[in-house]
Amino acid sequence: MTKHEEKKRSNIEDVNRSIYDIKDKVEYSFKADTGLTEEIIREISSQKEEPEWMLEKRLAALKIYDKLDVPPWMPDISDLDMSHIDTYVRPRTDMKGSWEELPENIRDTFDRLGIPEAEKTSLAGVGAQYDSEVVYHNVHEALAKQGVIYVDFETAVKQYEDLVRPVFGTLIPPSYHKFAALHYAAWSGGSFVYVPKGVEVSMPLQSYFRLNAPGAGQFEHTLIIVDEGASCHFIEGCSAPKYNVANLHAGAVELFVRKGANLRYSTIENWSKNMYNLNTKRSLVEEDGSMTWVSGSFGSHVSCLYPDTVLKGDRSKAEFTGITFAGKGQYLDTGSKIECLGKETTATVHSKSLSKGGGTAIYRGVVHIGPKAQGAKVSISCESLMLDNESRSDTIPDIIIENDNIDLGHEAKIGRIPDENIYYLMTRGLSEEDAKAMLVRGFAEPISKELPLEYAVEMNKLIDLEFEGSIG
Amino acid sequence: MSELLKIENLHVSVGDKELLHGINLTVEKGKVHVIMGVNGAGKSTLMHAIMGNPAYKITKGRILFEGQDITELSVDKRAKLGIFLSFQSPVAVAGITMENFIRTTKTTVSGQQQKVFAFKKLLKERMNNLSMDASYAERYLNDGFSGGERKKSEILQLRLLEPKLALLDETDSGLDVDAVRIVSKNISEYHNENNSILLITHLNQILQLIKPDVVHILIDGQIVREGGAELADEVEQNGFDAYRLAVKGDGNDEA
């Protein structure tokens, strides 16, 4: 167990965010007007020198955005004023192929986040997004030789139109909800991954998103196609320095898992506590394919995140493992959606949440078993732990079943740390705060062991810090 | 001989109900004390009061440990002074392996960082002494353990933490004859002239293996008799009724 070597500090935000909260001097080569108008969208598009079909998509999405209302069930986002959010901020650098070529302040930022080291040691490729443009991209040569494509999304639109255009916006259409429409109108940056038939990418591909400019929105698009019999692990990590102006993140992630393919998609979101994280993720799984989500939500002011898996092919599988930690001032509405369409599809959902200091953690889950999904098996378990009396936790399941031949289990537990467990650990010499931290780590352990190592370590640190100086 | 634990006129309540009505008890270094009594007499209450469980309120009297008044001390600080409680029903803690847990607590109690490999070796040896399968070290603490395995896990912790005072709350209950023998042997191996044991039991088997120096009989929240090892035999033959009569009519409603 780690001992706290750092000096005791009582405020979690002060400590944990220290490396993220260093702001760089903001320098832009181009900055769009605040708010969202057709003019801005056209400007974004022409800056990117993108093909006409993409501009048309953007403008169509903008019309939908203007028409749609904010979904009525969403948490309160009235503090978010779109007319004051910059939709496009481009750092003063073009995309670079090597670390040393990046401007110093941007390189420093990524150095602080530990990205190049991680890349060198364990990652097959890194795409790091600094504000809206991907400034650095690299895939190991060996992978490139196997035909694996890992590029920023702008490049993908131009160079791989044949792969991108037929599927872009088909899984998450702009009409999905208001923020999906916003995304398609204003998208910028993101990653495109294509793994050809039968290729197994053994090392994880990682992207790291980061927002730096005050009031900047981030609308990155991630599109992954894992072709028949191929497999891949993609890690997405998000962080943003803290600013007083409300920040918005409305990304979209479209994942295509073809016949017999495997995709594992791990996400850690540790956005600063003023971020509105309204992200949409959806995966389409063909016959015998398998989709695994690992999701950790720690940051942001308000989050709405429900990765959706469409089990279209027979015998396709989904597994979702997620943890949400809502602290002071946070409203994290997370969950998952499973749609069983094919025969003998199976899905397992494990969700855990922690709430503390008046934070709210909601699990919102949808299961839809269609009329043709004979023999579908779905098992859901969600456990919530409230660490004090001010915090809130809820489970909102929505289950639609359209055939008789299915097997569905749903288990939800909401509770507190039992006093007798704290007492037991204290009889072994642990202080009350150490005992609580240990019990919370234990609660989170089944999830944290699924996370990439550096994130598991970060999560445990976060839990320890949450308890340090919190008692007495 | 020096006094390790001294309890003076201890009154303990849970909620509005007083469960202990003025306990006096002294445990000297190197001695084995046994507390006997019917169910509900207050034996476990006394253990928890010594350990400092906040659910048990001390309304009068005090507890001294090595001469220091610990009546107001928190549970973890008492543990660090060298008091250990083996629970009658130990809780399970999911997500923390037994090995990591004991290493962490050993570090905390001893104030010394435990070297991973040296500790692993010692743990294995101690588990072997208790006939525990080595695989239990990697399992979550007490999670999915049987009642008997949990009791062994308590004694394993006792052996590794090496406290000055071991409070053993019905460590032998729920164990089969062989397990009682193994556990008793381990308790005997732990015991030396520098530490003391305060043991609650209903059974005589363990007392054949761990010879008590002093036996206390606790009835309705009061200690009604004290004696040597022979007192345990007397109880075994006559039961508690004789002692119960001795306190009847003194105004408490526990009988």
mmCIF file of all heavy atoms in Angstrom, chain A residues 424 428, chain B residues 84-91 98 130 132 142 145-159 168-176 179-180 182-184 186-187 200 203:
data_model
loop_
_atom_site.group_PDB
_atom_site.id
_atom_site.type_symbol
_atom_site.label_atom_id
_atom_site.label_comp_id
_atom_site.label_asym_id
_atom_site.label_seq_id
_atom_site.Cartn_x
_atom_site.Cartn_y
_atom_site.Cartn_z
ATOM 1 N N TYR A 424 -13.227 -2.593 12.224
ATOM 2 C CA TYR A 424 -12.344 -3.749 12.093
ATOM 3 C C TYR A 424 -10.944 -3.324 11.637
ATOM 4 O O TYR A 424 -9.937 -3.721 12.222
ATOM 5 C CB TYR A 424 -12.931 -4.765 11.110
ATOM 6 C CG TYR A 424 -12.121 -6.026 10.956
ATOM 7 C CD1 TYR A 424 -12.178 -7.037 11.913
ATOM 8 C CD2 TYR A 424 -11.281 -6.214 9.856
ATOM 9 C CE1 TYR A 424 -11.436 -8.200 11.778
ATOM 10 C CE2 TYR A 424 -10.525 -7.373 9.715
ATOM 11 C CZ TYR A 424 -10.606 -8.365 10.681
ATOM 12 O OH TYR A 424 -9.856 -9.502 10.544
ATOM 13 N N ARG A 428 -6.791 -2.824 13.635
ATOM 14 C CA ARG A 428 -5.491 -3.281 13.135
ATOM 15 C C ARG A 428 -4.526 -2.109 12.971
ATOM 16 O O ARG A 428 -3.504 -2.224 12.297
ATOM 17 C CB ARG A 428 -5.669 -4.010 11.796
ATOM 18 C CG ARG A 428 -6.606 -5.211 11.851
ATOM 19 C CD ARG A 428 -6.159 -6.236 12.907
ATOM 20 N NE ARG A 428 -6.939 -7.456 12.852
ATOM 21 C CZ ARG A 428 -7.775 -7.854 13.817
ATOM 22 N NH1 ARG A 428 -7.935 -7.118 14.909
ATOM 23 N NH2 ARG A 428 -8.435 -8.987 13.696
ATOM 24 N N PHE B 84 -4.783 -5.953 20.597
ATOM 25 C CA PHE B 84 -5.294 -6.635 19.411
ATOM 26 C C PHE B 84 -6.567 -7.376 19.785
ATOM 27 O O PHE B 84 -6.628 -8.033 20.820
ATOM 28 C CB PHE B 84 -4.246 -7.636 18.910
ATOM 29 C CG PHE B 84 -4.698 -8.478 17.741
ATOM 30 C CD1 PHE B 84 -4.483 -8.066 16.431
ATOM 31 C CD2 PHE B 84 -5.338 -9.707 17.959
ATOM 32 C CE1 PHE B 84 -4.897 -8.849 15.354
ATOM 33 C CE2 PHE B 84 -5.757 -10.484 16.885
ATOM 34 C CZ PHE B 84 -5.531 -10.060 15.587
ATOM 35 N N LEU B 85 -7.568 -7.265 18.927
ATOM 36 C CA LEU B 85 -8.809 -7.997 19.174
ATOM 37 C C LEU B 85 -9.047 -9.011 18.067
ATOM 38 O O LEU B 85 -9.115 -8.663 16.887
ATOM 39 C CB LEU B 85 -9.993 -7.010 19.248
ATOM 40 C CG LEU B 85 -11.401 -7.606 19.303
ATOM 41 C CD1 LEU B 85 -11.593 -8.497 20.529
ATOM 42 C CD2 LEU B 85 -12.459 -6.498 19.314
ATOM 43 N N SER B 86 -9.157 -10.269 18.464
ATOM 44 C CA SER B 86 -9.563 -11.305 17.516
ATOM 45 C C SER B 86 -11.077 -11.397 17.598
ATOM 46 O O SER B 86 -11.637 -11.716 18.643
ATOM 47 C CB SER B 86 -8.911 -12.633 17.904
ATOM 48 O OG SER B 86 -9.506 -13.687 17.184
ATOM 49 N N PHE B 87 -11.744 -11.067 16.477
ATOM 50 C CA PHE B 87 -13.204 -10.936 16.483
ATOM 51 C C PHE B 87 -13.912 -12.286 16.529
ATOM 52 O O PHE B 87 -13.440 -13.273 15.975
ATOM 53 C CB PHE B 87 -13.671 -10.188 15.222
ATOM 54 C CG PHE B 87 -13.468 -8.705 15.282
ATOM 55 C CD1 PHE B 87 -12.205 -8.161 15.418
ATOM 56 C CD2 PHE B 87 -14.552 -7.838 15.198
ATOM 57 C CE1 PHE B 87 -12.010 -6.777 15.458
ATOM 58 C CE2 PHE B 87 -14.375 -6.461 15.238
ATOM 59 C CZ PHE B 87 -13.101 -5.934 15.375
ATOM 60 N N GLN B 88 -15.077 -12.238 17.176
ATOM 61 C CA GLN B 88 -15.922 -13.421 17.192
ATOM 62 C C GLN B 88 -16.449 -13.684 15.774
ATOM 63 O O GLN B 88 -16.464 -14.815 15.311
ATOM 64 C CB GLN B 88 -17.084 -13.170 18.148
ATOM 65 C CG GLN B 88 -17.820 -14.423 18.526
ATOM 66 C CD GLN B 88 -18.949 -14.120 19.497
ATOM 67 O OE1 GLN B 88 -18.920 -13.148 20.238
ATOM 68 N NE2 GLN B 88 -19.950 -14.963 19.492
ATOM 69 N N SER B 89 -16.875 -12.625 15.083
ATOM 70 C CA SER B 89 -17.297 -12.758 13.684
ATOM 71 C C SER B 89 -16.567 -11.718 12.835
ATOM 72 O O SER B 89 -17.065 -10.627 12.625
ATOM 73 C CB SER B 89 -18.801 -12.523 13.524
ATOM 74 O OG SER B 89 -19.503 -13.074 14.593
ATOM 75 N N PRO B 90 -15.380 -12.067 12.352
ATOM 76 C CA PRO B 90 -14.601 -11.090 11.578
ATOM 77 C C PRO B 90 -15.321 -10.722 10.277
ATOM 78 O O PRO B 90 -15.936 -11.583 9.661
ATOM 79 C CB PRO B 90 -13.300 -11.832 11.268
ATOM 80 C CG PRO B 90 -13.273 -13.011 12.182
ATOM 81 C CD PRO B 90 -14.692 -13.352 12.476
ATOM 82 N N VAL B 91 -15.230 -9.466 9.876
ATOM 83 C CA VAL B 91 -15.887 -9.026 8.639
ATOM 84 C C VAL B 91 -15.014 -9.387 7.437
ATOM 85 O O VAL B 91 -13.817 -9.618 7.565
ATOM 86 C CB VAL B 91 -16.158 -7.505 8.636
ATOM 87 C CG1 VAL B 91 -17.076 -7.122 9.773
ATOM 88 C CG2 VAL B 91 -14.867 -6.702 8.680
ATOM 89 N N MET B 98 -5.356 -10.652 1.473
ATOM 90 C CA MET B 98 -4.946 -10.859 2.848
ATOM 91 C C MET B 98 -3.492 -10.451 3.041
ATOM 92 O O MET B 98 -3.141 -9.802 4.017
ATOM 93 C CB MET B 98 -5.152 -12.328 3.217
ATOM 94 C CG MET B 98 -5.081 -12.558 4.696
ATOM 95 S SD MET B 98 -5.910 -14.064 5.183
ATOM 96 C CE MET B 98 -4.649 -15.226 4.799
ATOM 97 N N LEU B 130 -0.599 -22.679 10.633
ATOM 98 C CA LEU B 130 -2.038 -22.722 10.894
ATOM 99 C C LEU B 130 -2.777 -23.662 9.934
ATOM 100 O O LEU B 130 -4.000 -23.687 9.895
ATOM 101 C CB LEU B 130 -2.627 -21.310 10.752
ATOM 102 C CG LEU B 130 -2.474 -20.392 11.962
ATOM 103 C CD1 LEU B 130 -2.594 -18.940 11.560
ATOM 104 C CD2 LEU B 130 -3.497 -20.740 13.036
ATOM 105 N N MET B 132 -3.085 -23.340 6.820
ATOM 106 C CA MET B 132 -3.849 -22.577 5.829
ATOM 107 C C MET B 132 -3.165 -22.728 4.483
ATOM 108 O O MET B 132 -1.940 -22.622 4.403
ATOM 109 C CB MET B 132 -3.877 -21.077 6.180
ATOM 110 C CG MET B 132 -4.722 -20.733 7.371
ATOM 111 S SD MET B 132 -4.624 -18.945 7.707
ATOM 112 C CE MET B 132 -6.022 -18.374 6.743
ATOM 113 N N ASN B 142 -10.784 -12.440 4.183
ATOM 114 C CA ASN B 142 -11.963 -13.114 4.747
ATOM 115 C C ASN B 142 -13.116 -13.280 3.761
ATOM 116 O O ASN B 142 -14.175 -13.783 4.128
ATOM 117 C CB ASN B 142 -12.491 -12.368 5.987
ATOM 118 C CG ASN B 142 -11.488 -12.359 7.121
ATOM 119 O OD1 ASN B 142 -10.588 -13.196 7.165
ATOM 120 N ND2 ASN B 142 -11.627 -11.407 8.030
ATOM 121 N N PHE B 145 -14.447 -16.782 2.977
ATOM 122 C CA PHE B 145 -13.843 -17.708 3.939
ATOM 123 C C PHE B 145 -14.962 -18.324 4.784
ATOM 124 O O PHE B 145 -15.951 -17.666 5.096
ATOM 125 C CB PHE B 145 -12.893 -16.973 4.908
ATOM 126 C CG PHE B 145 -11.589 -16.515 4.318
ATOM 127 C CD1 PHE B 145 -11.442 -16.282 2.957
ATOM 128 C CD2 PHE B 145 -10.490 -16.301 5.155
ATOM 129 C CE1 PHE B 145 -10.235 -15.842 2.426
ATOM 130 C CE2 PHE B 145 -9.281 -15.872 4.644
ATOM 131 C CZ PHE B 145 -9.150 -15.638 3.279
ATOM 132 N N SER B 146 -14.770 -19.584 5.189
ATOM 133 C CA SER B 146 -15.711 -20.199 6.128
ATOM 134 C C SER B 146 -15.469 -19.589 7.507
ATOM 135 O O SER B 146 -14.464 -18.911 7.741
ATOM 136 C CB SER B 146 -15.477 -21.697 6.180
ATOM 137 O OG SER B 146 -14.241 -21.960 6.829
ATOM 138 N N GLY B 147 -16.383 -19.866 8.441
ATOM 139 C CA GLY B 147 -16.229 -19.357 9.806
ATOM 140 C C GLY B 147 -14.884 -19.761 10.404
ATOM 141 O O GLY B 147 -14.195 -18.947 11.010
ATOM 142 N N GLY B 148 -14.519 -21.028 10.194
ATOM 143 C CA GLY B 148 -13.258 -21.532 10.733
ATOM 144 C C GLY B 148 -12.059 -20.848 10.099
ATOM 145 O O GLY B 148 -11.087 -20.503 10.779
ATOM 146 N N GLU B 149 -12.136 -20.604 8.798
ATOM 147 C CA GLU B 149 -11.024 -19.954 8.095
ATOM 148 C C GLU B 149 -10.852 -18.506 8.561
ATOM 149 O O GLU B 149 -9.734 -18.003 8.665
ATOM 150 C CB GLU B 149 -11.263 -19.994 6.581
ATOM 151 C CG GLU B 149 -11.070 -21.390 5.990
ATOM 152 C CD GLU B 149 -11.724 -21.572 4.625
ATOM 153 O OE1 GLU B 149 -12.538 -20.713 4.212
ATOM 154 O OE2 GLU B 149 -11.434 -22.588 3.987
ATOM 155 N N ARG B 150 -11.976 -17.877 8.846
ATOM 156 C CA ARG B 150 -11.886 -16.494 9.350
ATOM 157 C C ARG B 150 -11.192 -16.453 10.704
ATOM 158 O O ARG B 150 -10.416 -15.546 10.994
ATOM 159 C CB ARG B 150 -13.283 -15.888 9.480
ATOM 160 C CG ARG B 150 -13.895 -15.567 8.136
ATOM 161 C CD ARG B 150 -15.184 -14.808 8.273
ATOM 162 N NE ARG B 150 -15.790 -14.703 6.945
ATOM 163 C CZ ARG B 150 -16.687 -13.788 6.586
ATOM 164 N NH1 ARG B 150 -17.090 -12.898 7.478
ATOM 165 N NH2 ARG B 150 -17.174 -13.744 5.383
ATOM 166 N N LYS B 151 -11.490 -17.436 11.542
ATOM 167 C CA LYS B 151 -10.850 -17.475 12.856
ATOM 168 C C LYS B 151 -9.346 -17.701 12.700
ATOM 169 O O LYS B 151 -8.541 -17.098 13.389
ATOM 170 C CB LYS B 151 -11.464 -18.593 13.719
ATOM 171 C CG LYS B 151 -12.914 -18.322 14.134
ATOM 172 C CD LYS B 151 -12.996 -17.086 15.001
ATOM 173 C CE LYS B 151 -14.413 -16.730 15.421
ATOM 174 N NZ LYS B 151 -15.058 -17.700 16.281
ATOM 175 N N LYS B 152 -8.985 -18.548 11.765
ATOM 176 C CA LYS B 152 -7.554 -18.771 11.516
ATOM 177 C C LYS B 152 -6.897 -17.494 10.999
ATOM 178 O O LYS B 152 -5.759 -17.182 11.351
ATOM 179 C CB LYS B 152 -7.365 -19.905 10.506
ATOM 180 C CG LYS B 152 -7.555 -21.288 11.120
ATOM 181 C CD LYS B 152 -7.201 -22.363 10.102
ATOM 182 C CE LYS B 152 -7.204 -23.741 10.748
ATOM 183 N NZ LYS B 152 -6.866 -24.797 9.761
ATOM 184 N N SER B 153 -7.635 -16.779 10.161
ATOM 185 C CA SER B 153 -7.108 -15.518 9.635
ATOM 186 C C SER B 153 -6.858 -14.529 10.773
ATOM 187 O O SER B 153 -5.874 -13.776 10.760
ATOM 188 C CB SER B 153 -8.087 -14.963 8.589
ATOM 189 O OG SER B 153 -8.061 -13.565 8.546
ATOM 190 N N GLU B 154 -7.714 -14.558 11.797
ATOM 191 C CA GLU B 154 -7.506 -13.683 12.954
ATOM 192 C C GLU B 154 -6.228 -14.056 13.696
ATOM 193 O O GLU B 154 -5.451 -13.186 14.092
ATOM 194 C CB GLU B 154 -8.702 -13.782 13.916
ATOM 195 C CG GLU B 154 -10.012 -13.268 13.365
ATOM 196 C CD GLU B 154 -10.020 -11.762 13.187
ATOM 197 O OE1 GLU B 154 -10.270 -11.034 14.149
ATOM 198 O OE2 GLU B 154 -9.773 -11.321 12.043
ATOM 199 N N ILE B 155 -6.037 -15.353 13.873
ATOM 200 C CA ILE B 155 -4.857 -15.801 14.620
ATOM 201 C C ILE B 155 -3.584 -15.578 13.791
ATOM 202 O O ILE B 155 -2.521 -15.269 14.321
ATOM 203 C CB ILE B 155 -5.015 -17.286 15.065
ATOM 204 C CG1 ILE B 155 -6.221 -17.408 16.009
ATOM 205 C CG2 ILE B 155 -3.746 -17.797 15.760
ATOM 206 C CD1 ILE B 155 -6.245 -16.413 17.178
ATOM 207 N N LEU B 156 -3.725 -15.687 12.495
ATOM 208 C CA LEU B 156 -2.600 -15.363 11.607
ATOM 209 C C LEU B 156 -2.177 -13.906 11.815
ATOM 210 O O LEU B 156 -0.994 -13.584 11.938
ATOM 211 C CB LEU B 156 -3.009 -15.603 10.149
ATOM 212 C CG LEU B 156 -1.971 -15.267 9.077
ATOM 213 C CD1 LEU B 156 -0.767 -16.207 9.183
ATOM 214 C CD2 LEU B 156 -2.580 -15.369 7.684
ATOM 215 N N GLN B 157 -3.156 -13.028 11.882
ATOM 216 C CA GLN B 157 -2.861 -11.604 12.112
ATOM 217 C C GLN B 157 -2.236 -11.395 13.484
ATOM 218 O O GLN B 157 -1.309 -10.608 13.647
ATOM 219 C CB GLN B 157 -4.136 -10.773 11.970
ATOM 220 C CG GLN B 157 -4.680 -10.773 10.544
ATOM 221 C CD GLN B 157 -5.991 -10.017 10.437
ATOM 222 O OE1 GLN B 157 -6.113 -8.901 10.913
ATOM 223 N NE2 GLN B 157 -6.974 -10.630 9.805
ATOM 224 N N LEU B 158 -2.769 -12.133 14.471
ATOM 225 C CA LEU B 158 -2.208 -12.047 15.826
ATOM 226 C C LEU B 158 -0.718 -12.387 15.803
ATOM 227 O O LEU B 158 0.113 -11.674 16.361
ATOM 228 C CB LEU B 158 -2.948 -13.023 16.763
ATOM 229 C CG LEU B 158 -2.300 -13.259 18.131
ATOM 230 C CD1 LEU B 158 -2.579 -12.073 19.056
ATOM 231 C CD2 LEU B 158 -2.810 -14.550 18.775
ATOM 232 N N ARG B 159 -0.390 -13.457 15.111
ATOM 233 C CA ARG B 159 0.999 -13.919 15.098
ATOM 234 C C ARG B 159 1.917 -12.939 14.382
ATOM 235 O O ARG B 159 3.074 -12.783 14.743
ATOM 236 C CB ARG B 159 1.082 -15.304 14.447
ATOM 237 C CG ARG B 159 0.297 -16.332 15.230
ATOM 238 C CD ARG B 159 1.077 -17.522 15.664
ATOM 239 N NE ARG B 159 2.419 -17.288 16.143
ATOM 240 C CZ ARG B 159 3.372 -18.191 16.071
ATOM 241 N NH1 ARG B 159 3.143 -19.352 15.496
ATOM 242 N NH2 ARG B 159 4.553 -17.946 16.560
ATOM 243 N N LEU B 168 -9.059 -12.258 22.819
ATOM 244 C CA LEU B 168 -9.521 -13.327 21.932
ATOM 245 C C LEU B 168 -10.983 -13.637 22.253
ATOM 246 O O LEU B 168 -11.289 -14.240 23.280
ATOM 247 C CB LEU B 168 -8.658 -14.580 22.098
ATOM 248 C CG LEU B 168 -7.138 -14.372 21.967
ATOM 249 C CD1 LEU B 168 -6.393 -15.690 22.182
ATOM 250 C CD2 LEU B 168 -6.781 -13.792 20.607
ATOM 251 N N ASP B 169 -11.868 -13.180 21.358
ATOM 252 C CA ASP B 169 -13.301 -13.310 21.603
ATOM 253 C C ASP B 169 -13.835 -14.590 20.962
ATOM 254 O O ASP B 169 -14.081 -14.639 19.761
ATOM 255 C CB ASP B 169 -14.016 -12.075 21.030
ATOM 256 C CG ASP B 169 -15.468 -11.994 21.484
ATOM 257 O OD1 ASP B 169 -15.950 -12.956 22.113
ATOM 258 O OD2 ASP B 169 -16.107 -10.964 21.203
ATOM 259 N N GLU B 170 -13.984 -15.605 21.764
ATOM 260 C CA GLU B 170 -14.486 -16.912 21.292
ATOM 261 C C GLU B 170 -13.777 -17.396 20.045
ATOM 262 O O GLU B 170 -14.386 -17.804 19.065
ATOM 263 C CB GLU B 170 -16.001 -16.850 21.046
ATOM 264 C CG GLU B 170 -16.777 -16.612 22.319
ATOM 265 C CD GLU B 170 -18.261 -16.940 22.168
ATOM 266 O OE1 GLU B 170 -18.600 -17.766 21.312
ATOM 267 O OE2 GLU B 170 -19.053 -16.371 22.922
ATOM 268 N N THR B 171 -12.461 -17.338 20.113
ATOM 269 C CA THR B 171 -11.671 -17.784 18.970
ATOM 270 C C THR B 171 -11.918 -19.248 18.646
ATOM 271 O O THR B 171 -11.804 -19.677 17.502
ATOM 272 C CB THR B 171 -10.180 -17.528 19.281
ATOM 273 O OG1 THR B 171 -10.008 -16.122 19.386
ATOM 274 C CG2 THR B 171 -9.274 -18.057 18.195
ATOM 275 N N ASP B 172 -12.309 -20.021 19.664
ATOM 276 C CA ASP B 172 -12.483 -21.457 19.446
ATOM 277 C C ASP B 172 -13.877 -21.835 18.953
ATOM 278 O O ASP B 172 -14.091 -22.953 18.510
ATOM 279 C CB ASP B 172 -12.162 -22.228 20.727
ATOM 280 C CG ASP B 172 -12.948 -21.701 21.926
ATOM 281 O OD1 ASP B 172 -13.544 -20.601 21.816
ATOM 282 O OD2 ASP B 172 -12.966 -22.367 22.969
ATOM 283 N N SER B 173 -14.822 -20.911 18.993
ATOM 284 C CA SER B 173 -16.174 -21.311 18.599
ATOM 285 C C SER B 173 -16.273 -21.464 17.093
ATOM 286 O O SER B 173 -15.656 -20.728 16.335
ATOM 287 C CB SER B 173 -17.216 -20.314 19.111
ATOM 288 O OG SER B 173 -17.094 -19.099 18.430
ATOM 289 N N GLY B 174 -17.023 -22.447 16.676
ATOM 290 C CA GLY B 174 -17.185 -22.706 15.250
ATOM 291 C C GLY B 174 -16.031 -23.486 14.639
ATOM 292 O O GLY B 174 -15.978 -23.672 13.429
ATOM 293 N N LEU B 175 -15.075 -23.902 15.476
ATOM 294 C CA LEU B 175 -13.945 -24.671 14.955
ATOM 295 C C LEU B 175 -14.124 -26.151 15.291
ATOM 296 O O LEU B 175 -14.627 -26.492 16.358
ATOM 297 C CB LEU B 175 -12.636 -24.186 15.591
ATOM 298 C CG LEU B 175 -12.185 -22.759 15.282
ATOM 299 C CD1 LEU B 175 -10.868 -22.475 15.994
ATOM 300 C CD2 LEU B 175 -12.023 -22.559 13.783
ATOM 301 N N ASP B 176 -13.677 -27.009 14.387
ATOM 302 C CA ASP B 176 -13.713 -28.431 14.724
ATOM 303 C C ASP B 176 -12.559 -28.752 15.668
ATOM 304 O O ASP B 176 -11.690 -27.915 15.918
ATOM 305 C CB ASP B 176 -13.688 -29.292 13.452
ATOM 306 C CG ASP B 176 -12.438 -29.066 12.621
ATOM 307 O OD1 ASP B 176 -11.331 -29.014 13.215
ATOM 308 O OD2 ASP B 176 -12.563 -28.921 11.393
ATOM 309 N N ALA B 179 -9.074 -28.131 14.412
ATOM 310 C CA ALA B 179 -8.781 -26.710 14.226
ATOM 311 C C ALA B 179 -8.546 -26.033 15.574
ATOM 312 O O ALA B 179 -7.663 -25.172 15.695
ATOM 313 C CB ALA B 179 -9.910 -26.032 13.465
ATOM 314 N N VAL B 180 -9.305 -26.410 16.593
ATOM 315 C CA VAL B 180 -9.093 -25.839 17.928
ATOM 316 C C VAL B 180 -7.670 -26.141 18.394
ATOM 317 O O VAL B 180 -6.975 -25.273 18.930
ATOM 318 C CB VAL B 180 -10.113 -26.390 18.966
ATOM 319 C CG1 VAL B 180 -9.729 -25.958 20.382
ATOM 320 C CG2 VAL B 180 -11.519 -25.926 18.643
ATOM 321 N N ILE B 182 -5.035 -26.728 16.486
ATOM 322 C CA ILE B 182 -4.064 -25.954 15.691
ATOM 323 C C ILE B 182 -4.028 -24.492 16.142
ATOM 324 O O ILE B 182 -2.962 -23.915 16.372
ATOM 325 C CB ILE B 182 -4.407 -26.038 14.184
ATOM 326 C CG1 ILE B 182 -4.157 -27.451 13.674
ATOM 327 C CG2 ILE B 182 -3.590 -25.023 13.384
ATOM 328 C CD1 ILE B 182 -4.787 -27.733 12.323
ATOM 329 N N VAL B 183 -5.213 -23.930 16.309
ATOM 330 C CA VAL B 183 -5.311 -22.525 16.721
ATOM 331 C C VAL B 183 -4.702 -22.341 18.112
ATOM 332 O O VAL B 183 -3.926 -21.409 18.361
ATOM 333 C CB VAL B 183 -6.780 -22.055 16.657
ATOM 334 C CG1 VAL B 183 -6.993 -20.793 17.471
ATOM 335 C CG2 VAL B 183 -7.202 -21.834 15.208
ATOM 336 N N SER B 184 -5.023 -23.260 19.025
ATOM 337 C CA SER B 184 -4.493 -23.159 20.387
ATOM 338 C C SER B 184 -2.972 -23.222 20.385
ATOM 339 O O SER B 184 -2.299 -22.481 21.115
ATOM 340 C CB SER B 184 -5.020 -24.310 21.251
ATOM 341 O OG SER B 184 -6.419 -24.290 21.269
ATOM 342 N N ASN B 186 -0.987 -22.302 18.057
ATOM 343 C CA ASN B 186 -0.467 -21.025 17.556
ATOM 344 C C ASN B 186 -0.555 -19.923 18.602
ATOM 345 O O ASN B 186 0.335 -19.082 18.699
ATOM 346 C CB ASN B 186 -1.207 -20.617 16.279
ATOM 347 C CG ASN B 186 -0.585 -21.236 15.048
ATOM 348 O OD1 ASN B 186 0.319 -20.678 14.450
ATOM 349 N ND2 ASN B 186 -1.040 -22.440 14.701
ATOM 350 N N ILE B 187 -1.645 -19.953 19.369
ATOM 351 C CA ILE B 187 -1.771 -18.947 20.428
ATOM 352 C C ILE B 187 -0.673 -19.179 21.472
ATOM 353 O O ILE B 187 -0.037 -18.240 21.949
ATOM 354 C CB ILE B 187 -3.180 -18.992 21.062
ATOM 355 C CG1 ILE B 187 -4.233 -18.593 20.007
ATOM 356 C CG2 ILE B 187 -3.263 -18.069 22.278
ATOM 357 C CD1 ILE B 187 -5.668 -18.836 20.430
ATOM 358 N N ILE B 200 -12.070 -15.138 25.841
ATOM 359 C CA ILE B 200 -13.446 -15.530 26.139
ATOM 360 C C ILE B 200 -13.669 -16.908 25.543
ATOM 361 O O ILE B 200 -13.334 -17.145 24.381
ATOM 362 C CB ILE B 200 -14.469 -14.575 25.486
ATOM 363 C CG1 ILE B 200 -14.361 -13.181 26.081
ATOM 364 C CG2 ILE B 200 -15.883 -15.116 25.644
ATOM 365 C CD1 ILE B 200 -15.257 -12.165 25.389
ATOM 366 N N LEU B 203 -15.860 -23.169 26.029
ATOM 367 C CA LEU B 203 -15.465 -24.569 25.948
ATOM 368 C C LEU B 203 -14.201 -24.831 26.727
ATOM 369 O O LEU B 203 -13.334 -23.976 26.847
ATOM 370 C CB LEU B 203 -15.243 -24.959 24.484
ATOM 371 C CG LEU B 203 -16.409 -24.670 23.547
ATOM 372 C CD1 LEU B 203 -15.943 -24.697 22.109
ATOM 373 C CD2 LEU B 203 -17.523 -25.675 23.778
#
